[in-house]
Amino acid sequence: MIDLGLDDLEVAEMLTRALSLIDGPVEDCWSEFLKEKDNTEESELVRLYEEMPAGPIDITGVIAVGVETARSCLNQISFIIQNPVPTSPVVLQTLLRAALVGSARTLYVLLPTDPDERLERAHKVVARDTESGRQGLRQFAGFQGMRAFAAPEDLVESMTNHRKELWPKGNPPGDGKIVEGMSAVMHDALELAGVGEELGHEFLTDHVTWLWNTYSGLAHGYFWPRLLPGLAEDDRRIPGDFPLDLHQIATATHMALLAALSRMAPGSTLTTETIPNNWPAN
């Protein structure tokens, strides 16, 4: 039994809102995304793809994986909570952390209204993805015991060259810098969704910082999050307010999907418009 603090009516209402958001708007946008993801008509996402160096990893794949990860993890959380599925808090928390990263990486690239900024951020995110892959593949190339998984040298070389083309100034920005930028755009996305007006702008700023740090600690199996206060005083495995955290990340995922749909729309090339707060547009 997981105590999420649902004896409090406001907490229970927040959980209901979060699950309704996941099962409703997030799923609706995901269905629309699946219909549009192979669309090659002129759009802002196509522009980003065409203006970046070609290689094994491209921005369309990065965006697709980001929104799929976020939606799928939230979908699984919703299923676990609404069905008698035996689990423990860390399972829900780790899924929520993955949804946080998937939505934030998408928002980081697609939320800005400046086309040049979107292109620069696309370079950063793909360069970081490529560098991570290059490091892993370089080690895999030397496998002796798992020969079937040994990376071919030409793929290692391709990843190395691609990363240099994407980010010729040296190593691409580390995860810390990108996460810092993701925090800012996640805040902006939640503000755009009206969460700042509902909960308070200062609260929202603090909560985004809480989400990044606390759920990273939980997903890495660290002990320190258990020192934090939570709704369930007798269960230190659940710091903070899980229903509210779920709602915030579900909102960010909804906004990430809206951003993807908006930047995939025909005729959106070089748009300076912000993303719509509903989809499809009326």
Side-chain angles (χ1 to χ4, degrees):
M1 182 71 178
I2 301 176
D3 184 359
L4 298 178
L6 301 181
D7 290 340
D8 185 314
L9 292 179
E10 290 187 4
V11 175
E13 180 186 359
M14 182 59 71
L15 180 63
T16 298
R17 289 175 58 189
L19 296 176
S20 295
L21 181 57
I22 294 167
D23 296 341
V26 169
E27 281 300 299
D28 291 344
C29 285
W30 173 246
S31 296
E32 190 69 26
F33 178 82
L34 290 177
K35 285 190 237 176
E36 299 295 331
K37 71 182 182 68
D38 296 323
N39 191 343
T40 58
E41 292 187 59
E42 288 300 315
S43 68
E44 178 60 5
L45 189 57
V46 169
R47 177 190 77 92
L48 294 176
Y49 171 81
E50 292 178 343
E51 293 193 13
M52 295 177 67
I57 297 173
D58 64 68
I59 190 59
T60 60
V62 168
I63 295 300
V65 167
V67 294
E68 180 181 8
T69 297
R71 173 266 169 187
S72 298
C73 289
L74 291 176
N75 179 269
Q76 189 65 31
I77 291 171
S78 177
F79 181 82
I80 290 171
I81 290 175
Q82 296 186 78
N83 293 275
V85 179
T87 191
S88 63
V90 71
V91 173
L92 301 178
Q93 292 158 344
T94 302
L95 287 167
L96 197 56
R97 169 59 160 72
L100 172 61
V101 175
S103 60
R105 280 169 65 85
T106 304
L107 288 166
Y108 179 73
V109 175
L110 299 182
L111 189 67
T113 56
D114 182 350
D116 292 335
E117 186 175 2
R118 291 195 293 267
L119 183 59
E120 180 182 358
R121 291 182 175 206
H123 274 78
K124 287 181 182 178
V125 169
V126 176
R128 172 46 51 193
D129 200 317
T130 302
E131 175 62 12
S132 175
R134 184 193 69 82
Q135 291 176 7
L137 289 170
R138 187 175 59 183
Q139 295 182 64
F140 300 167
F143 277 1
Q144 297 300 318
M146 293 176 59
R147 295 294 302 166
F149 294 94
E153 289 291 346
D154 59 342
L155 180 56
V156 178
E157 183 180 0
S158 176
M159 293 280 275
T160 300
N161 293 335
H162 188 210
R163 201 275 285 162
K164 289 178 180 177
E165 287 184 280
L166 287 162
W167 205 260
K169 305 175 237 183
N171 286 330
D175 289 336
K177 283 291 183 187
I178 291 180
V179 164
E180 186 179 317
M182 289 178 188
S183 296
V185 296
M186 185 176 167
H187 176 278
D188 292 345
L190 292 172
E191 286 275 13
L192 187 61
V195 173
E197 295 176 7
E198 180 183 358
L199 296 175
H201 302 288
E202 291 182 352
F203 178 92
L204 179 58
T205 298
D206 292 348
H207 195 223
V208 169
T209 301
W210 163 279
L211 292 170
W212 276 119
N213 290 279
T214 303
Y215 282 89
S216 292
L218 291 164
H220 282 84
Y222 291 163
F223 179 83
W224 72 261
R226 298 190 179 201
L227 301 175
L228 301 172
L231 295 176
E233 295 181 4
D234 296 330
D235 191 344
R236 307 302 295 180
R237 299 174 301 167
I238 312 174
D241 183 338
F242 181 83
L244 176 61
D245 296 345
L246 179 61
H247 182 268
Q248 300 293 70
I249 295 175
T251 301
T253 298
H254 182 211
M255 300 303 284
L257 281 159
L258 290 173
L261 289 168
S262 179
R263 306 310 184 204
M264 291 162 59
S268 60
T269 305
L270 295 172
T271 180
T272 56
E273 296 292 325
T274 189
I275 65 171
N277 60 11
N278 55 48
W279 190 274
N282 292 326

